[in-house]
Amino acid sequence: MKTKKSNGEGSCRKISPGKYECVIQSNLINPKTLKLKRFMRRGSTEKEARLAAIMAMQAWEKEYKNNGNDINFKKTRILGEYMTEYMEGKVKGTITDSAYYSYYRSMQRYFHPYRISKFQLQNLSVKAFQDYYDEITQKYSKKTCSLPIQLCRRLCKDLVNRCLIPEQDNRIKSYCQ
């Protein structure tokens, strides 16, 4: 006998060998269709597909509740784009214009040219951040590297708060602390 699934659990199915698909329904109404919003995500395991769908739902709900925006998050966005958005949205209003310009130039020189800025969120790992740290600390002084590293950590915390990176994800959690 089947039992009813709890809210937010969704349903998963195997679509081909090594591929699963999960569909989860939000409690909030989609403003475009005036029906409950659904999220469908795929993964190589059932757990991965379910986690991706839950994260997409949580990110959309958080953005919709806080800002009233009906936004679709693109998986193809890279960390460098999120950094630019973070700098313009969160950092710019809290510091003077000259300090912001200094931050901006520092990130242009010590973050964006490096490989980590080209990673998509699902490809981030502690090793990627460690490689980035090692690379810039070998080339530049510790004081020069402190600002890009600090901004990377603040960006990761912001991404966790926006539900774009899972909080319990050990790949990133150790880096953000």
Side-chain angles (χ1 to χ4, degrees):
M1 182 172 162
K2 285 190 171 184
T3 59
K4 185 175 170 68
K5 293 182 180 182
S6 62
N7 285 339
E9 190 174 328
S11 62
C12 283
R13 66 183 181 129
K14 189 172 187 174
I15 53 177
S16 66
K19 293 276 186 179
Y20 290 85
E21 181 179 72
C22 182
V23 178
I24 292 183
Q25 183 170 296
S26 172
N27 292 329
L28 300 176
I29 294 177
N30 185 348
K32 293 177 185 170
T33 63
L34 300 178
K35 296 179 182 176
L36 294 176
K37 178 101 173 170
R38 290 184 181 201
F39 299 87
M40 183 186 323
R41 295 293 183 268
R42 293 181 178 180
S44 56
T45 63
E46 185 176 336
K47 184 177 180 180
E48 186 180 303
R50 189 177 308 277
L51 179 64
I54 288 171
M55 289 209 29
M57 179 184 69
Q58 289 174 344
W60 180 82
E61 285 179 347
K62 192 171 243 183
E63 184 67 26
Y64 188 69
K65 285 178 183 177
N66 293 342
N67 302 325
N69 297 335
D70 180 28
I71 293 180
N72 291 329
F73 294 98
K74 297 179 183 176
K75 285 184 84 171
T76 57
R77 286 187 65 191
I78 58 176
L79 189 63
E81 293 173 0
Y82 284 107
M83 179 60 81
T84 303
E85 178 184 303
Y86 179 75
M87 292 280 293
E88 290 173 0
K90 305 270 174 132
V91 175
K92 191 173 187 176
T94 61
I95 57 177
T96 64
D97 288 341
S98 61
Y100 174 75
Y101 181 74
S102 173
Y103 278 30
Y104 178 79
R105 297 298 299 162
S106 176
M107 294 311 286
Q108 287 295 97
R109 184 166 184 191
Y110 305 116
F111 177 75
H112 289 291
Y114 292 91
R115 197 169 156 229
I116 195 166
S117 71
K118 314 294 186 283
F119 280 22
Q120 295 175 351
L121 295 183
Q122 68 266 19
N123 298 332
L124 287 176
S125 66
V126 172
K127 184 177 180 346
F129 285 110
Q130 194 60 48
D131 290 346
Y132 168 64
Y133 285 167
D134 293 343
E135 192 174 356
I136 64 170
T137 53
Q138 287 175 358
K139 291 181 181 178
Y140 307 105
S141 71
K142 188 174 181 180
K143 185 176 180 181
T144 302
C145 300
S146 66
L147 179 65
I149 291 171
Q150 175 194 16
L151 285 174
C152 282
R153 288 185 173 149
R154 289 172 54 190
L155 171 65
C156 284
K157 287 179 183 177
D158 183 60
L159 292 173
V160 167
N161 291 339
R162 292 171 55 193
C163 297
L164 296 175
I165 297 176
E167 187 173 6
Q168 70 275 9
D169 193 345
N170 292 331
R171 297 175 303 154
I172 308 300
K173 188 175 182 182
S174 63
Y175 172 73
C176 290
Q177 296 174 348

